[in-house]
Amino acid sequence: MIVEARGQRTEARVGQVSNLRAIWNRSLLLAVACLSASTAFAATTTLWEMTGYQDFLKGKMSGVSITRDGRITAGPKLDTFFTSDQQQIWSVAQAPDGSIYAGTGDRGKLLKIDANGRGSVLWTADQPEIFAVAVDRAGVVYAGTSPDGKVYRVENGRATEYFSAGEPYIWALAFAPDGALYVATGQQGKIFKVTAAGKGEVYYESGQAHITSLAFDSQGRLLAGSEPNGILYRIAGTPAKGFVLYDANLPEIRTIFPMPDGTIYAGALGGSVARRTGAATSSTTSSTPTVTAPATSITVTDAQSAIATPPKPEAPKTTAATPATTAAVTTTEVTGIEKSALYRISPDNTVETVWTSKEENLYDFLPAADGAMLLLTDAQGRIYNLDTRANGSRSAVLIAQTNESDATRLLGSRAGTLAAVGSAGKLLRLANTPSAGGWFESPVHDSGAVARWGRLSWMGLNTGLAFKTRSGNSARPDTTWSDWSAPITDPAKAEIASPNARYIQWRAEFTSAAPEIDGVTIAYLPQNSAPTVRSITVSSLSSGSSKPATATAGASSAFSITVTDTGEAAAPAGTQTQTLTRPAPQQVQIIWQADDPEADKLSYDVYFRGDEEREWKPLKANVAENTYLVDSDTLADGRYVFRVVASDRPSNAPAQARQTELASAPVLIDNTPPQVTAGAPRRNGTTIEIQVDSEDGTSTLRRCEYAIDGQTPWQPMEASDGITDSARERFQISIPNFPVGEHVVVVRVYDAAGNAGLARVIAR
């Protein structure tokens, strides 16, 4: 088995890496310098670096491995041992003579493959799926078909019905040391014991929906894994009694492998996607939730967009199994939780998790040499080598990748380690010799905008290594992308020739077993995008205190009043008349919202223009904040439009900076109160009548009211024509039961801007 092709680095290797790292750093500096000298784009030079184990796991590969310390090296050779015309290979088993039997899906065929990889169809079932295959000590093969739940004995190319379970699905078959055949079924989670043709009975009822895996431990006791609660049972005795060895937090115990020393390994899967391989797939319709937000009032916006906020994902819930037409289990995809795990159950029943993943499903595993375990996952059909020793590092080495999404089974055969690739109907063989022609393909990198590419730099052993790049403007490589570039082999001549685009990808090709890659970096300069001004809001704001105006006097007008016991006030001669100060003037507040795609720092220029004006006048340049105040007294009455120009010049060179602008809706500024003219009062009996005329030069009139002798509340009046809605209005005030004597009537008229004009009438 393959553990790791290379051991510890030698001192010479360390020296080479140090020299290469220095060269790599100089190459990076050169790449940055070359791009910074360019004036074609305005964003900051950026480096896309891939280094380390987790980064390299994101790529595709063939014939290479990723070591524990994050190096890409030549991996074991992975070749095609056998190819069928079937869509799925679900199960494999080896006979005593070395022959391999494979059960397939969608056409229900049983294949026989010899030690040289030559295969033939041994039998075709009348059911679409063969999920389970087992071979007895005499070399006779047994196949379980679904969804009719029958076991067939196939000998010399002839199949006879051996047992009918009365259950839809047969998931696993296993022979006991005494030769009895045990059958794992679903949808009622029963295990049958079959001693001869047609002679079988229920051995154990789990209460689960499915028994998904079977094996016998070193003492001949039956081990069984279930779904949907992920329980590992040990079953023994007559009548059978089950003992729960482990209740996993994942839905399905997929594979069980007992070791000679009594240790048991169990693989579980299903954390984020509970999948039943081979069962009819039930489609899940997902609906996008509609999320409404409180309305926001904005005077001017450049666009309106509704943003749906997805709800927080919920962990999948396990429910009791109920009869259904298929055995498919559908759950919602939830990221960030365990998706699969490998457990080790010691002879004393203690359990240890030796491997876990949030991204990959563990479909099968197989013991290798020196305490290692080969793991087969669904992520592009990857094969890992895991050191499971108690004092091991517990980190997995990615030794091979089939680049198939549905690799289902591992088999240690006389022909070598075989991986069944379900979706391609193949058996792939993992060789003990390193590959001399592997490749690694990076994930697609999104630069965020059309970018100018600089240099490709790498660190590692360069012998027999060539890099290529390609670029495009679609998120996934397709026919619109450029072809792979000419090979880059010399670090001193590593300029990227791929055309400027938003997306880029690199590929490393190994022409020998010598190269090693520790890190790869691409320098690029994304096109500078203009900022966006989202909205402008213009409103009025008082520039002074909100407290009512009070009488004040300066030091030059200070005075004192003396009140005598006679009640007369004596004031010094020449005392000045006190003046009530005018309320604080109004200000125009301009608020805007803006952002930049590259998160550049922005500055703003603010302009205004009147209705009859042709040119914009600057109010303020280089405003750093998103608001500006203008004293309304500095602008004459009239209609104005304000413009905000946003620029990313604080983060870019002057010649490269970009800007955008947005203008507000027209804003009416009116600082002048209406003119109010009151005629002489006329008495009609006990009624006083006053005619008032009012006119405003900028806005319409909105309200008229009067008060007598300074007493409130004010009494409202409508215009003589019934509604106050014009710039010029006449009001007829009629005050019945007017008191005798001299009284003061004050009339107040407001315009649309809130300015108040006053007139005083003395009535006697």
Side-chain angles (χ1 to χ4, degrees), residues 167-171 183-192 204-213 225-231 233 251-252 276 318-324 326-329:
E167 294 290 320
Y169 296 97
I170 295 178
W171 299 117
V183 182
T185 69
Q187 291 173 331
Q188 296 186 43
K190 296 178 181 179
I191 302 174
F192 293 86
Y204 185 74
E205 293 189 54
S206 67
Q208 293 284 290
H210 304 276
I211 297 296
T212 54
S213 52
S226 74
E227 190 270 344
N229 292 105
I231 297 174
Y233 298 93
E252 179 180 344
R276 166 68 52 200
T318 303
T319 58
T322 56
T326 72
V329 178

Side-chain angles (χ1 to χ4, degrees), residues 360-421:
E360 304 177 55
N361 268 312
L362 175 61
Y363 273 179
D364 205 358
F365 59 89
L366 186 68
D370 299 328
M373 191 75 72
L374 295 181
L375 312 181
L376 180 68
T377 72
D378 64 344
Q380 304 178 65
R382 288 174 172 170
I383 301 176
Y384 292 89
N385 187 288
L386 176 70
D387 186 351
T388 59
R389 293 171 297 181
N391 59 350
S393 65
R394 297 295 171 79
S395 59
V397 178
L398 178 55
I399 61 172
Q401 183 166 294
T402 68
N403 294 311
E404 299 288 347
S405 61
D406 203 3
T408 55
R409 289 297 180 187
L410 280 175
L411 178 67
S413 71
R414 294 181 185 179
T417 302
L418 302 178
V421 181

Side-chain angles (χ1 to χ4, degrees), residues 510-522:
F510 287 46
T511 58
S512 71
E516 294 183 3
I517 301 174
D518 290 85
V520 177
T521 297
I522 286 179

Side-chain angles (χ1 to χ4, degrees), residues 290 361 401 454 635 668:
T290 302
N361 268 312
Q401 183 166 294
L635 300 174
L668 180 64

Side-chain angles (χ1 to χ4, degrees), residues 318-675:
T318 303
T319 58
T322 56
T325 56
T326 72
V329 178
T330 304
T331 60
T332 303
E333 176 78 21
V334 180
T335 59
I337 62 174
E338 275 190 8
K339 196 169 185 178
S340 61
L342 178 64
Y343 308 110
R344 176 167 59 196
I345 300 94
S346 299
D348 62 358
N349 295 342
T350 57
V351 181
E352 181 182 8
T353 301
V354 295
W355 182 86
T356 185
S357 174
K358 295 180 180 180
E359 291 80 28
E360 304 177 55
N361 268 312
L362 175 61
Y363 273 179
D364 205 358
F365 59 89
L366 186 68
D370 299 328
M373 191 75 72
L374 295 181
L375 312 181
L376 180 68
T377 72
D378 64 344
Q380 304 178 65
R382 288 174 172 170
I383 301 176
Y384 292 89
N385 187 288
L386 176 70
D387 186 351
T388 59
R389 293 171 297 181
N391 59 350
S393 65
R394 297 295 171 79
S395 59
V397 178
L398 178 55
I399 61 172
Q401 183 166 294
T402 68
N403 294 311
E404 299 288 347
S405 61
D406 203 3
T408 55
R409 289 297 180 187
L410 280 175
L411 178 67
S413 71
R414 294 181 185 179
T417 302
L418 302 178
V421 181
S423 59
K426 295 179 180 179
L427 290 178
L428 303 179
R429 178 167 53 190
L430 192 66
N432 290 325
T433 57
S435 173
W439 54 265
F440 178 89
E441 196 172 280
S442 75
V444 173
H445 178 68
D446 181 5
S447 65
V450 173
R452 177 175 180 237
W453 312 119
R455 298 171 60 88
L456 185 147
S457 306
W458 67 92
M459 183 174 64
L461 297 180
N462 194 38
T463 304
L465 182 63
F467 287 90
K468 296 179 180 180
T469 63
R470 63 177 177 178
S471 60
N473 285 306
S474 57
R476 293 185 178 181
D478 54 22
T479 56
T480 65
W481 274 51
S482 67
D483 295 331
W484 287 106
S485 68
I488 300 173
T489 58
D490 185 355
K493 300 177 180 179
E495 294 82 4
I496 296 174
S498 298
N500 297 341
R502 175 171 175 172
Y503 302 95
I504 193 168
Q505 188 179 31
W506 59 264
R507 176 186 174 97
E509 296 181 349
F510 287 46
T511 58
S512 71
E516 294 183 3
I517 301 174
D518 290 85
V520 177
T521 297
I522 286 179
Y524 63 93
L525 196 63
Q527 178 181 350
N528 185 30
S529 300
T532 300
V533 182
R534 301 290 180 185
S535 65
I536 300 177
T537 301
V538 182
S539 59
S540 62
L541 183 69
S542 175
S543 63
S545 172
S546 59
K547 296 180 180 180
T550 57
T552 60
S556 60
S557 60
F559 66 95
S560 62
I561 298 176
T562 302
V563 180
T564 65
D565 57 359
T566 62
E568 296 180 354
T575 299
Q576 297 182 0
T577 301
Q578 299 179 60
T579 302
L580 294 176
T581 61
R582 177 189 175 189
Q586 294 292 313
Q587 290 183 314
V588 176
Q589 184 180 47
I590 309 168
I591 301 175
W592 57 91
Q593 295 179 351
D595 54 63
D596 187 84
E598 290 88 26
D600 288 344
K601 185 178 180 180
L602 301 178
S603 66
Y604 309 96
D605 299 334
V606 185
Y607 299 83
F608 78 97
R609 186 179 65 189
D611 248 0
E612 299 179 357
E613 301 170 10
R614 296 182 179 180
E615 298 180 359
W616 291 99
K617 284 78 176 175
L619 275 174
K620 184 70 174 179
N622 296 322
V623 179
E625 305 298 329
N626 288 66
T627 183
Y628 184 67
L629 289 174
V630 182
D631 191 340
S632 62
D633 284 350
T634 63
L635 300 174
D637 291 356
R639 193 178 300 270
Y640 294 88
V641 176
F642 295 91
R643 183 180 70 170
V644 174
V645 179
S647 173
D648 59 6
R649 58 179 175 263
S651 298
N652 295 272
Q656 300 168 320
R658 300 190 65 181
Q659 66 182 38
T660 190
E661 63 183 52
L662 185 66
S664 71
V667 176
L668 180 64
I669 295 179
D670 183 2
N671 294 320
T672 305
Q675 294 182 359

